[in-house]
Amino acid sequence: MATSVTIGHAHKGAISQAGRSRHFSSGLIPRNRLKWVPPSARLAHEYCYFLHDACVQMLAEYEKARAHLVRFKFRDADQADEFECLVNEVGSIEALKKLGRLDKARRVAINTITMGMVSDCLHHIYEALRCMERRKVVVAFNLLRKPLTDSLIYLAWMLGDEDGFYEAFSKQSPAGLAPKIVGNRRQAILQAALEKTALEGVIQSDWLHAVLFKDDFERGLYKILQRAVHLITVSREAVRTEPENFNFIFKNYADDDSYDGLYEVLPPVLLFLAHVIEGLYDRMKAMDPGARTAFQVRTITSMFLLSQDSKGINETRKILDKLSGMLACPNCKKPLVLTQHNMARLLMRESFRCTGCRTVTPFPFSYIF
């Protein structure tokens, strides 16, 4: 009576739709936290945390710098007083509109939505990943549903078509933002956002759309996320509960198929989400060019390490090969050796471990850019 779980499918032409992870890790997560995660999924799990942490760092830095706040000058003291009165009555966005500062009102709205939605999104993802470490897989699927099928689309819409999103938000809300309305445009929204990231050729919008929203995509997330939320699903044949069953109630927590399937598709989906967030923040306030390039190189190159075959490892080694001639252990002077562990460590933890004396040396990736 257990609900079966099969997710994920390698998509032709994209490096991101890799399979299960190789049996090595970056050391990003302490071993005692990974004991319940199957060895084949550990690197992918760490990669998902790496993406989450990179987004949290961006969020924290922008909040600390107050980069989301919109600054402007009033025409005179009377206009400043009028604004203060209006803010108390109708709020800052409406006050700006009444003063004719429509561009500033829009920026305040977009920035506020971005900061709030990204924060909420990352909270859900963090708790979902922690649940996967404890084999609370159904709880994890519940937590992933909101950020992956709701938040991701609105964030992508803001990045790919800010004009269209703001029009719907400011003049058609809430009906214009309803899932039934947005649902007809999801793939176009994903494609428009993808074109504004560094991921073109790495991930395809049709694959993202199928994984997240197609109930007949055999190895996608949609069916699993729907079943995780509802005990009984009957409206669609593809997600219908089996006779004499309840969704996931009789699932054996010790089964590994949940991990095998989820981590085939979650890394590229979170990679897309991370780059959408990066794009929105860069639009809010331009990032340091070196930090932005380092983020893009690290997040994309790390995906090669999740490949099922040696091609991904070889591609990563080729990209990092120049570093092996530049770096050496400060303790014993042994040159950097690009083991699989060191490649993952360099990209996800910005450090490397000497294969001689085992000394760990930091290497801030953004320095080379």
Side-chain angles (χ1 to χ4, degrees):
M1 299 177 74
T3 300
S4 61
V5 179
T6 310
I7 323 170
H9 180 66
H11 187 273
K12 188 169 151 186
I15 66 160
S16 55
Q17 287 78 53
R20 288 181 291 171
S21 308
R22 293 171 171 273
H23 295 202
F24 63 92
S25 74
S26 68
L28 183 67
I29 299 174
R31 289 184 181 181
N32 64 321
R33 276 177 48 190
L34 293 174
K35 62 184 178 181
W36 292 106
V37 179
S40 62
R42 288 177 185 173
L43 184 63
H45 181 73
E46 287 185 308
Y47 177 72
C48 292
Y49 255 112
F50 160 63
L51 294 173
H52 164 272
D53 290 352
C55 291
V56 168
Q57 183 178 354
M58 283 190 283
L59 174 63
E61 289 177 355
Y62 270 65
E63 283 184 335
K64 184 178 179 180
R66 299 167 70 84
H68 59 291
L69 300 181
V70 177
R71 295 167 176 81
F72 57 93
K73 292 182 179 180
F74 293 106
R75 183 181 63 247
D76 50 38
D78 289 340
Q79 189 180 58
D81 291 340
E82 183 183 1
F83 177 75
E84 290 295 332
C85 292
L86 287 170
V87 166
N88 293 329
E89 294 176 10
V90 296
S92 59
I93 295 176
E94 288 303 315
L96 286 167
K97 288 180 181 179
K98 287 181 181 296
L99 290 179
R101 298 292 187 93
L102 301 182
D103 58 331
K104 299 300 181 183
R106 168 171 163 162
R107 196 71 258 150
V108 170
I110 294 294
N111 288 2
T112 303
I113 295 167
T114 298
M115 297 298 283
M117 194 173 291
V118 167
S119 177
D120 179 76
C121 193
L122 295 176
H123 280 306
H124 279 75
I125 290 169
Y126 173 82
E127 295 299 338
L129 294 174
R130 289 291 278 154
C131 282
M132 292 303 290
E133 292 174 8
R134 302 184 182 103
R135 287 198 173 257
K136 298 179 180 180
V137 295
V138 182
V139 180
F141 291 149
N142 268 274
L143 288 165
L144 287 172
R145 185 174 182 266
K146 182 181 179 183
L148 299 188
T149 62
D150 286 342
S151 304
L152 176 59
I153 286 297
Y154 294 118
L155 292 169
W157 192 0
M158 282 192 286
L159 180 65
D161 179 19
E162 187 179 292
D163 292 342
F165 173 84
Y166 187 67
E167 173 74 16
F169 177 78
S170 61
K171 298 180 180 179
Q172 303 167 27
S173 180
L177 302 174
K180 287 186 178 180
I181 301 299
V182 178
N184 296 325
R185 302 180 54 202
R186 285 188 187 120
Q187 187 166 344
I189 288 171
L190 293 171
Q191 179 60 36
L194 195 60
E195 290 172 0
K196 288 182 168 59
T197 70
L199 297 177
E200 278 200 284
V202 177
I203 297 176
Q204 283 80 43
S205 61
D206 60 342
W207 181 87
L208 279 169
H209 184 255
V211 164
L212 294 173
F213 300 108
K214 290 281 191 179
D215 58 12
D216 58 351
F217 192 66
E218 182 183 355
R219 300 171 69 82
L221 281 170
Y222 181 84
K223 177 164 61 176
I224 302 305
L225 298 183
Q226 287 295 106
R227 285 185 168 183
V229 172
H230 305 289
L231 285 172
I232 295 291
T233 44
V234 296
S235 59
R236 297 186 181 184
E237 180 67 31
V239 299
R240 184 170 296 170
T241 306
E242 296 89 347
E244 299 184 62
N245 200 0
F246 287 98
N247 294 333
F248 281 112
I249 291 299
F250 309 108
K251 180 70 177 168
N252 186 345
Y253 79 95
D255 290 345
D256 286 346
D257 58 344
S258 300
Y259 293 85
D260 294 340
L262 177 66
Y263 287 111
E264 284 186 48
V265 296
L266 186 60
V269 171
L270 292 187
L271 176 64
F272 175 70
L273 173 62
H275 279 245
V276 167
I277 291 171
E278 176 242 350
L280 288 169
Y281 282 168
D282 187 64
R283 182 177 294 171
M284 190 183 299
K285 182 181 179 181
M287 291 182 177
D288 172 78
R292 190 179 189 206
T293 302
F295 167 84
Q296 293 172 352
V297 170
R298 292 174 65 203
T299 55
I300 295 172
T301 306
S302 297
M303 278 298 305
F304 286 113
L305 295 173
L306 306 186
S307 177
Q308 285 179 310
D309 53 39
S310 59
K311 182 180 178 181
I313 299 294
N314 293 334
E315 288 291 334
T316 307
R317 184 172 283 112
K318 187 186 303 181
I319 292 169
L320 298 176
D321 192 52
K322 290 184 179 179
L323 293 179
S324 61
M326 297 166 49
L327 300 177
C329 173
N331 185 47
C332 70
K333 311 305 179 187
K334 183 179 176 66
L336 165 67
V337 178
L338 289 176
T339 63
Q340 293 176 348
H341 171 81
N342 262 341
M343 288 189 288
R345 180 182 276 275
L346 275 167
L347 291 165
M348 296 188 206
R349 299 185 67 189
E350 294 190 293
S351 64
F352 64 94
R353 186 175 65 192
C354 178
T355 53
C357 67
R358 314 293 286 177
T359 297
V360 174
T361 303
F363 177 70
F365 226 85
S366 58
Y367 284 7
I368 66 176
F369 298 108

